[in-house]
Amino acid sequence: TAQAGLTNLALPKGVRESYAYGINNYGTVAGAGDLEEGTRALVWTVDGPGTPPALASNGSSMAYAVNDFGDLAGQGETGEPGAFISRAFFLSATGVLQQVGPCTGEWSSAALAINQEGVCAGFAEFAGATHAVLFQPTNGWQDLDTLDSVYSVAYGLNRQRHAVGLFVASHEDE
C-alpha cells in the first residue's frame, strides 16, 4: 500500500513460495503457491490464505484474478494424471467451479482477467495460433482476435467487455 509499503503475505502450511496476481477492492488477493505435489491456486482473505476446496486436487492450478464478489478466474489442469490439459476456469464465490471450454481445437487456455459480471478474458491455444478470448461461464467462449494474429492475449477486461492485451501479427522478424 502507499501507506505501509510492501507487506509479506502469509504462506499456508506446506507452501514453499507464492505468487500474487490479482487483488479486488476489498483486499482479497488471487495467486498461487508451490507445494511438493505442484502449484495450487491461493486466495488471501481477511481469514488468511488458503486454496479453494474446488481447486485443492486434480493437478496444478493458478488464480490470476478476483472480482469484488470474490469470483476467481484462472487456469487449472484437468484430465488423467500424466495427461493433464490446462483449461481456463471460473470459480464462483459460492465454490462452484466451471472449467471454461474446451474451445474447438484448443490445446490449453487460461482466464487472466475477470469483470464484475463474471466474464473472463485470457487466451486459448489452437494448432496454428494463440488467440485472445472472452470466457463466459453461461455462454461459452468468444475469439477476440479479428486480426488473424499468430499470438494474442487479453490481460484486462472492463464491465463493457472491452479487453486489453497484446498481439503479434506474424512469426517473421522485421
Side-chain angles (χ1 to χ4, degrees):
T1 65
Q3 296 82 18
L6 292 175
T7 302
N8 285 328
L9 295 172
L11 295 179
K13 184 177 180 179
V15 174
R16 294 186 304 259
E17 59 186 14
S18 63
Y19 318 93
Y21 295 112
I23 188 169
N24 69 14
N25 289 313
Y26 299 105
T28 300
V29 175
D34 290 334
L35 298 155
E36 191 171 307
E37 64 271 10
T39 302
R40 292 283 187 266
L42 289 176
V43 178
W44 289 265
T45 66
V46 295
D47 297 327
T51 297
L55 299 171
S57 62
N58 196 28
S60 293
S61 60
M62 300 179 103
Y64 291 114
V66 58
N67 66 17
D68 287 346
F69 297 108
D71 302 325
L72 295 173
Q75 180 178 34
E77 292 180 330
T78 63
E80 297 297 318
F84 285 123
I85 297 173
S86 291
R87 295 271 187 240
F89 73 74
F90 169 84
L91 179 59
S92 72
T94 60
V96 177
L97 176 66
Q98 293 179 294
Q99 295 288 337
V100 186
C103 304
T104 303
E106 172 199 9
W107 291 357
S108 68
S109 59
L112 305 174
I114 188 169
N115 69 12
Q116 299 305 344
E117 284 74 34
V119 176
C120 304
F123 69 86
E125 295 177 338
F126 302 95
T130 297
H131 281 194
V133 294
L134 284 182
F135 300 106
Q136 300 178 59
T138 56
N139 296 326
W141 67 283
Q142 175 187 353
D143 190 343
L144 296 177
D145 195 331
T146 60
L147 302 172
D148 294 325
S149 303
V150 295
Y151 184 83
S152 61
V153 177
Y155 288 111
L157 181 67
N158 67 11
R159 277 193 174 177
Q160 291 78 31
R161 299 182 184 175
H162 299 153
V164 295
L166 68 89
F167 81 96
V168 177
S170 72
H171 287 296
E172 297 177 19
D173 292 331
E174 296 186 46

